[in-house]
Amino acid sequence: MGKYATTTSFTNLLPFFLASNSASDTTGVGIISAHIDRAEAVVNSYLVARYDVRSWTQTSASGANVPPMVRTVAEDLTSYYSIRGAHVKDGEISNKSLPDYKEIMGTLKMMADGKMALADTNGSLVATRSASMFLSNTKDFAPTFDLDDPEKWKVDQDRLSEIDGDRG
């Protein structure tokens, strides 16, 4: 069982993908479990810099404190991997669901870049990691060290004035 997705949810997500549409299909469940692990690893690698993914623990089959959008992306990615794996013919992978994969990865990238906010199960905004961002007090000034001749390097005059003003 994964942290964001469970094998039991796939009887609804992928009807009749498992034999008899039942969790008693141990081979199918094993395949889906492997794809859940893979999908969650991808989700974590995208989101770990922005969110504390370690704090998202599955306390019930519904993944009580896992943000619903994270669970959805993990389940969609697992579905894609499972369907793609099932459609191998003569060593070739049929990629009919590639547009779905691109949409899933686009959503994941938007979450990782902060262009899509994450809400928890009660609708509250999920806090981002402050340690993942580098704050700079020099972003509005020209860089001191450019790529030109070192003899032409100089500190931005506005920056010098602000430093002088801050010192009193």
Side-chain angles (χ1 to χ4, degrees):
M1 182 164 73
K3 187 174 175 181
Y4 310 145
T6 63
T7 54
T8 54
S9 61
F10 285 90
T11 55
N12 294 327
L13 293 170
L14 299 172
F16 299 102
F17 186 80
L18 298 174
S20 304
N21 203 36
S22 156
S24 63
D25 174 11
T26 55
T27 303
V29 168
I31 290 168
I32 289 176
S33 291
H35 291 305
I36 287 173
D37 292 343
R38 181 179 181 187
E40 290 184 0
V42 170
V43 170
N44 284 342
S45 67
Y46 269 80
L47 299 181
V48 71
R50 180 167 291 277
Y51 300 100
D52 184 10
V53 297
R54 295 170 303 161
S55 68
W56 300 336
T57 57
Q58 185 157 2
T59 56
S60 68
S62 65
N65 79 340
V66 175
M69 203 57 206
V70 171
R71 188 176 335 108
T72 299
V73 168
E75 289 172 344
D76 288 350
L77 202 51
T78 301
S79 297
Y80 169 77
Y81 290 144
S82 300
I83 291 168
R84 188 188 70 176
H87 288 102
V88 175
K89 182 179 178 184
D90 298 329
E92 279 188 36
I93 295 175
S94 171
N95 255 337
K96 293 177 186 171
S97 54
L98 186 60
D100 296 332
Y101 173 77
K102 289 180 179 180
E103 182 181 340
I104 296 163
M105 294 307 289
T107 300
L108 187 55
K109 184 160 178 33
M110 286 185 353
M111 289 190 293
D113 292 343
K115 294 177 182 170
M116 176 185 281
L118 286 181
D120 61 20
T121 53
N122 67 7
S124 299
L125 194 62
V126 174
T128 58
R129 302 176 113 182
S130 59
S132 67
M133 296 180 226
F134 294 99
L135 302 176
S136 171
N137 64 354
T138 61
K139 68 177 182 148
D140 296 326
F141 304 112
T144 301
F145 304 104
D146 290 324
L147 299 176
D148 60 355
D149 184 358
E151 292 181 10
K152 295 181 181 175
W153 290 348
K154 61 181 178 178
V155 178
D156 186 320
Q157 194 58 44
D158 291 336
R159 183 175 181 192
L160 289 174
S161 297
E162 190 167 305
I163 290 170
D164 196 34
D166 287 346
R167 291 184 178 160

mmCIF file of all heavy atoms in Angstrom, residues 84-116:
data_model
loop_
_atom_site.group_PDB
_atom_site.id
_atom_site.type_symbol
_atom_site.label_atom_id
_atom_site.label_comp_id
_atom_site.label_asym_id
_atom_site.label_seq_id
_atom_site.Cartn_x
_atom_site.Cartn_y
_atom_site.Cartn_z
ATOM 1 N N ARG A 84 -0.130 1.657 -19.522
ATOM 2 C CA ARG A 84 0.970 1.574 -20.489
ATOM 3 C C ARG A 84 1.634 0.204 -20.430
ATOM 4 O O ARG A 84 1.942 -0.404 -21.451
ATOM 5 C CB ARG A 84 1.995 2.667 -20.227
ATOM 6 C CG ARG A 84 3.057 2.730 -21.325
ATOM 7 C CD ARG A 84 4.147 3.663 -20.983
ATOM 8 N NE ARG A 84 4.927 3.091 -19.891
ATOM 9 C CZ ARG A 84 6.021 3.620 -19.395
ATOM 10 N NH1 ARG A 84 6.465 4.761 -19.865
ATOM 11 N NH2 ARG A 84 6.677 3.051 -18.420
ATOM 12 N N GLY A 85 1.839 -0.296 -19.218
ATOM 13 C CA GLY A 85 2.458 -1.612 -19.068
ATOM 14 C C GLY A 85 1.591 -2.736 -19.603
ATOM 15 O O GLY A 85 2.086 -3.742 -20.093
ATOM 16 N N ALA A 86 0.276 -2.557 -19.533
ATOM 17 C CA ALA A 86 -0.638 -3.598 -19.996
ATOM 18 C C ALA A 86 -0.774 -3.609 -21.515
ATOM 19 O O ALA A 86 -1.230 -4.590 -22.090
ATOM 20 C CB ALA A 86 -2.011 -3.391 -19.364
ATOM 21 N N HIS A 87 -0.385 -2.539 -22.167
ATOM 22 C CA HIS A 87 -0.546 -2.445 -23.617
ATOM 23 C C HIS A 87 0.780 -2.631 -24.355
ATOM 24 O O HIS A 87 1.060 -1.939 -25.322
ATOM 25 C CB HIS A 87 -1.196 -1.109 -24.002
ATOM 26 C CG HIS A 87 -2.628 -1.066 -23.629
ATOM 27 N ND1 HIS A 87 -3.073 -0.393 -22.522
ATOM 28 C CD2 HIS A 87 -3.721 -1.632 -24.199
ATOM 29 C CE1 HIS A 87 -4.381 -0.538 -22.428
ATOM 30 N NE2 HIS A 87 -4.801 -1.287 -23.432
ATOM 31 N N VAL A 88 1.564 -3.567 -23.891
ATOM 32 C CA VAL A 88 2.810 -3.893 -24.581
ATOM 33 C C VAL A 88 2.497 -5.044 -25.541
ATOM 34 O O VAL A 88 1.939 -6.062 -25.147
ATOM 35 C CB VAL A 88 3.908 -4.321 -23.577
ATOM 36 C CG1 VAL A 88 5.149 -4.776 -24.305
ATOM 37 C CG2 VAL A 88 4.226 -3.179 -22.641
ATOM 38 N N LYS A 89 2.821 -4.843 -26.799
ATOM 39 C CA LYS A 89 2.570 -5.882 -27.800
ATOM 40 C C LYS A 89 3.833 -6.043 -28.635
ATOM 41 O O LYS A 89 4.320 -5.078 -29.218
ATOM 42 C CB LYS A 89 1.389 -5.482 -28.684
ATOM 43 C CG LYS A 89 1.034 -6.522 -29.713
ATOM 44 C CD LYS A 89 -0.155 -6.083 -30.534
ATOM 45 C CE LYS A 89 -0.447 -7.134 -31.587
ATOM 46 N NZ LYS A 89 -1.526 -6.712 -32.455
ATOM 47 N N ASP A 90 4.324 -7.241 -28.684
ATOM 48 C CA ASP A 90 5.530 -7.537 -29.452
ATOM 49 C C ASP A 90 6.687 -6.609 -29.085
ATOM 50 O O ASP A 90 7.412 -6.133 -29.958
ATOM 51 C CB ASP A 90 5.250 -7.446 -30.958
ATOM 52 C CG ASP A 90 4.217 -8.457 -31.415
ATOM 53 O OD1 ASP A 90 4.164 -9.545 -30.801
ATOM 54 O OD2 ASP A 90 3.480 -8.158 -32.364
ATOM 55 N N GLY A 91 6.817 -6.312 -27.801
ATOM 56 C CA GLY A 91 7.923 -5.480 -27.337
ATOM 57 C C GLY A 91 7.724 -3.993 -27.571
ATOM 58 O O GLY A 91 8.586 -3.200 -27.239
ATOM 59 N N GLU A 92 6.596 -3.587 -28.157
ATOM 60 C CA GLU A 92 6.321 -2.171 -28.390
ATOM 61 C C GLU A 92 5.278 -1.680 -27.401
ATOM 62 O O GLU A 92 4.305 -2.368 -27.120
ATOM 63 C CB GLU A 92 5.786 -1.943 -29.811
ATOM 64 C CG GLU A 92 6.863 -1.895 -30.855
ATOM 65 C CD GLU A 92 6.297 -1.482 -32.206
ATOM 66 O OE1 GLU A 92 5.387 -0.650 -32.252
ATOM 67 O OE2 GLU A 92 6.791 -2.011 -33.197
ATOM 68 N N ILE A 93 5.500 -0.499 -26.911
ATOM 69 C CA ILE A 93 4.550 0.094 -25.970
ATOM 70 C C ILE A 93 3.612 1.000 -26.751
ATOM 71 O O ILE A 93 4.045 1.882 -27.483
ATOM 72 C CB ILE A 93 5.279 0.905 -24.880
ATOM 73 C CG1 ILE A 93 6.138 -0.025 -24.028
ATOM 74 C CG2 ILE A 93 4.291 1.666 -24.019
ATOM 75 C CD1 ILE A 93 6.990 0.683 -23.006
ATOM 76 N N SER A 94 2.321 0.761 -26.584
ATOM 77 C CA SER A 94 1.320 1.630 -27.202
ATOM 78 C C SER A 94 1.147 2.848 -26.295
ATOM 79 O O SER A 94 0.882 2.706 -25.109
ATOM 80 C CB SER A 94 -0.009 0.887 -27.332
ATOM 81 O OG SER A 94 -1.018 1.774 -27.735
ATOM 82 N N ASN A 95 1.317 4.007 -26.841
ATOM 83 C CA ASN A 95 1.244 5.223 -26.023
ATOM 84 C C ASN A 95 -0.003 6.035 -26.330
ATOM 85 O O ASN A 95 0.059 7.232 -26.540
ATOM 86 C CB ASN A 95 2.491 6.077 -26.223
ATOM 87 C CG ASN A 95 3.417 5.982 -25.034
ATOM 88 O OD1 ASN A 95 2.979 5.662 -23.937
ATOM 89 N ND2 ASN A 95 4.676 6.259 -25.241
ATOM 90 N N LYS A 96 -1.152 5.376 -26.366
ATOM 91 C CA LYS A 96 -2.404 6.075 -26.624
ATOM 92 C C LYS A 96 -2.735 7.051 -25.506
ATOM 93 O O LYS A 96 -3.445 8.018 -25.718
ATOM 94 C CB LYS A 96 -3.546 5.069 -26.784
ATOM 95 C CG LYS A 96 -3.416 4.208 -28.016
ATOM 96 C CD LYS A 96 -4.520 3.183 -28.074
ATOM 97 C CE LYS A 96 -4.280 2.231 -29.235
ATOM 98 N NZ LYS A 96 -5.203 1.105 -29.203
ATOM 99 N N SER A 97 -2.254 6.772 -24.331
ATOM 100 C CA SER A 97 -2.567 7.646 -23.194
ATOM 101 C C SER A 97 -1.464 8.660 -22.909
ATOM 102 O O SER A 97 -1.449 9.274 -21.844
ATOM 103 C CB SER A 97 -2.863 6.809 -21.949
ATOM 104 O OG SER A 97 -1.805 5.926 -21.688
ATOM 105 N N LEU A 98 -0.549 8.869 -23.854
ATOM 106 C CA LEU A 98 0.527 9.846 -23.665
ATOM 107 C C LEU A 98 0.001 11.257 -23.395
ATOM 108 O O LEU A 98 0.542 11.952 -22.539
ATOM 109 C CB LEU A 98 1.487 9.841 -24.849
ATOM 110 C CG LEU A 98 2.733 10.712 -24.690
ATOM 111 C CD1 LEU A 98 3.562 10.267 -23.486
ATOM 112 C CD2 LEU A 98 3.580 10.668 -25.954
ATOM 113 N N PRO A 99 -1.073 11.707 -24.077
ATOM 114 C CA PRO A 99 -1.608 13.041 -23.736
ATOM 115 C C PRO A 99 -2.047 13.144 -22.270
ATOM 116 O O PRO A 99 -1.859 14.177 -21.638
ATOM 117 C CB PRO A 99 -2.799 13.209 -24.688
ATOM 118 C CG PRO A 99 -2.477 12.330 -25.848
ATOM 119 C CD PRO A 99 -1.743 11.150 -25.257
ATOM 120 N N ASP A 100 -2.613 12.047 -21.732
ATOM 121 C CA ASP A 100 -2.991 12.046 -20.311
ATOM 122 C C ASP A 100 -1.759 12.197 -19.425
ATOM 123 O O ASP A 100 -1.761 12.933 -18.443
ATOM 124 C CB ASP A 100 -3.722 10.748 -19.943
ATOM 125 C CG ASP A 100 -5.041 10.595 -20.667
ATOM 126 O OD1 ASP A 100 -5.649 11.628 -21.019
ATOM 127 O OD2 ASP A 100 -5.452 9.444 -20.893
ATOM 128 N N TYR A 101 -0.681 11.490 -19.794
ATOM 129 C CA TYR A 101 0.564 11.566 -19.038
ATOM 130 C C TYR A 101 1.110 12.991 -19.047
ATOM 131 O O TYR A 101 1.518 13.513 -18.019
ATOM 132 C CB TYR A 101 1.597 10.592 -19.629
ATOM 133 C CG TYR A 101 2.969 10.721 -19.028
ATOM 134 C CD1 TYR A 101 3.248 10.189 -17.772
ATOM 135 C CD2 TYR A 101 3.991 11.374 -19.706
ATOM 136 C CE1 TYR A 101 4.508 10.306 -17.215
ATOM 137 C CE2 TYR A 101 5.251 11.487 -19.158
ATOM 138 C CZ TYR A 101 5.506 10.953 -17.912
ATOM 139 O OH TYR A 101 6.747 11.073 -17.365
ATOM 140 N N LYS A 102 1.086 13.616 -20.213
ATOM 141 C CA LYS A 102 1.586 14.991 -20.321
ATOM 142 C C LYS A 102 0.755 15.938 -19.465
ATOM 143 O O LYS A 102 1.295 16.851 -18.833
ATOM 144 C CB LYS A 102 1.596 15.446 -21.773
ATOM 145 C CG LYS A 102 2.671 14.762 -22.600
ATOM 146 C CD LYS A 102 2.656 15.231 -24.035
ATOM 147 C CE LYS A 102 3.753 14.564 -24.834
ATOM 148 N NZ LYS A 102 3.753 14.995 -26.228
ATOM 149 N N GLU A 103 -0.539 15.720 -19.408
ATOM 150 C CA GLU A 103 -1.408 16.558 -18.570
ATOM 151 C C GLU A 103 -1.104 16.345 -17.081
ATOM 152 O O GLU A 103 -1.005 17.294 -16.311
ATOM 153 C CB GLU A 103 -2.879 16.239 -18.847
ATOM 154 C CG GLU A 103 -3.833 17.095 -18.053
ATOM 155 C CD GLU A 103 -5.289 16.758 -18.317
ATOM 156 O OE1 GLU A 103 -5.599 16.152 -19.359
ATOM 157 O OE2 GLU A 103 -6.121 17.096 -17.456
ATOM 158 N N ILE A 104 -0.918 15.092 -16.697
ATOM 159 C CA ILE A 104 -0.585 14.774 -15.301
ATOM 160 C C ILE A 104 0.735 15.440 -14.910
ATOM 161 O O ILE A 104 0.835 16.088 -13.857
ATOM 162 C CB ILE A 104 -0.471 13.240 -15.099
ATOM 163 C CG1 ILE A 104 -1.803 12.553 -15.340
ATOM 164 C CG2 ILE A 104 0.056 12.918 -13.702
ATOM 165 C CD1 ILE A 104 -1.681 11.047 -15.561
ATOM 166 N N MET A 105 1.746 15.293 -15.762
ATOM 167 C CA MET A 105 3.048 15.866 -15.446
ATOM 168 C C MET A 105 3.005 17.393 -15.459
ATOM 169 O O MET A 105 3.702 18.047 -14.689
ATOM 170 C CB MET A 105 4.111 15.337 -16.418
ATOM 171 C CG MET A 105 4.360 13.836 -16.271
ATOM 172 S SD MET A 105 4.737 13.305 -14.589
ATOM 173 C CE MET A 105 6.373 13.995 -14.400
ATOM 174 N N GLY A 106 2.175 17.981 -16.318
ATOM 175 C CA GLY A 106 2.000 19.436 -16.329
ATOM 176 C C GLY A 106 1.408 19.923 -15.014
ATOM 177 O O GLY A 106 1.844 20.938 -14.458
ATOM 178 N N THR A 107 0.416 19.188 -14.513
ATOM 179 C CA THR A 107 -0.190 19.530 -13.218
ATOM 180 C C THR A 107 0.841 19.418 -12.106
ATOM 181 O O THR A 107 0.943 20.297 -11.243
ATOM 182 C CB THR A 107 -1.384 18.593 -12.931
ATOM 183 O OG1 THR A 107 -2.349 18.741 -13.972
ATOM 184 C CG2 THR A 107 -2.018 18.900 -11.590
ATOM 185 N N LEU A 108 1.623 18.360 -12.130
ATOM 186 C CA LEU A 108 2.654 18.155 -11.111
ATOM 187 C C LEU A 108 3.693 19.267 -11.151
ATOM 188 O O LEU A 108 4.108 19.793 -10.121
ATOM 189 C CB LEU A 108 3.311 16.783 -11.319
ATOM 190 C CG LEU A 108 4.293 16.307 -10.270
ATOM 191 C CD1 LEU A 108 3.667 16.305 -8.883
ATOM 192 C CD2 LEU A 108 4.783 14.911 -10.633
ATOM 193 N N LYS A 109 4.084 19.667 -12.344
ATOM 194 C CA LYS A 109 5.064 20.751 -12.484
ATOM 195 C C LYS A 109 4.492 22.074 -11.967
ATOM 196 O O LYS A 109 5.189 22.840 -11.315
ATOM 197 C CB LYS A 109 5.495 20.885 -13.939
ATOM 198 C CG LYS A 109 6.578 21.917 -14.140
ATOM 199 C CD LYS A 109 7.319 21.718 -15.439
ATOM 200 C CE LYS A 109 8.369 22.741 -15.722
ATOM 201 N NZ LYS A 109 9.087 23.309 -14.636
ATOM 202 N N MET A 110 3.200 22.325 -12.240
ATOM 203 C CA MET A 110 2.578 23.555 -11.724
ATOM 204 C C MET A 110 2.563 23.559 -10.192
ATOM 205 O O MET A 110 2.809 24.585 -9.571
ATOM 206 C CB MET A 110 1.153 23.708 -12.267
ATOM 207 C CG MET A 110 1.126 24.115 -13.722
ATOM 208 S SD MET A 110 -0.483 24.461 -14.476
ATOM 209 C CE MET A 110 -1.708 24.025 -13.323
ATOM 210 N N MET A 111 2.305 22.398 -9.582
ATOM 211 C CA MET A 111 2.334 22.314 -8.118
ATOM 212 C C MET A 111 3.748 22.557 -7.610
ATOM 213 O O MET A 111 3.947 23.283 -6.636
ATOM 214 C CB MET A 111 1.828 20.948 -7.641
ATOM 215 C CG MET A 111 0.337 20.754 -7.824
ATOM 216 S SD MET A 111 -0.322 19.270 -7.021
ATOM 217 C CE MET A 111 0.431 17.972 -7.938
ATOM 218 N N ALA A 112 4.734 21.961 -8.260
ATOM 219 C CA ALA A 112 6.127 22.103 -7.828
ATOM 220 C C ALA A 112 6.619 23.533 -7.987
ATOM 221 O O ALA A 112 7.393 24.026 -7.156
ATOM 222 C CB ALA A 112 7.018 21.153 -8.626
ATOM 223 N N ASP A 113 6.164 24.223 -9.033
ATOM 224 C CA ASP A 113 6.597 25.603 -9.289
ATOM 225 C C ASP A 113 5.789 26.630 -8.505
ATOM 226 O O ASP A 113 6.061 27.824 -8.590
ATOM 227 C CB ASP A 113 6.490 25.922 -10.788
ATOM 228 C CG ASP A 113 7.485 25.138 -11.632
ATOM 229 O OD1 ASP A 113 8.465 24.612 -11.046
ATOM 230 O OD2 ASP A 113 7.286 25.047 -12.850
ATOM 231 N N GLY A 114 4.784 26.170 -7.761
ATOM 232 C CA GLY A 114 3.958 27.091 -6.981
ATOM 233 C C GLY A 114 2.901 27.800 -7.809
ATOM 234 O O GLY A 114 2.275 28.742 -7.337
ATOM 235 N N LYS A 115 2.669 27.362 -9.036
ATOM 236 C CA LYS A 115 1.644 27.976 -9.886
ATOM 237 C C LYS A 115 0.268 27.399 -9.608
ATOM 238 O O LYS A 115 -0.739 27.925 -10.051
ATOM 239 C CB LYS A 115 2.002 27.793 -11.363
ATOM 240 C CG LYS A 115 3.262 28.541 -11.745
ATOM 241 C CD LYS A 115 3.641 28.303 -13.174
ATOM 242 C CE LYS A 115 4.936 29.039 -13.480
ATOM 243 N NZ LYS A 115 5.479 28.668 -14.766
ATOM 244 N N MET A 116 0.229 26.288 -8.872
ATOM 245 C CA MET A 116 -1.026 25.682 -8.428
ATOM 246 C C MET A 116 -0.889 25.435 -6.934
ATOM 247 O O MET A 116 -0.009 24.695 -6.495
ATOM 248 C CB MET A 116 -1.294 24.367 -9.156
ATOM 249 C CG MET A 116 -2.546 23.655 -8.659
ATOM 250 S SD MET A 116 -2.767 22.036 -9.414
ATOM 251 C CE MET A 116 -3.439 22.511 -10.985
#
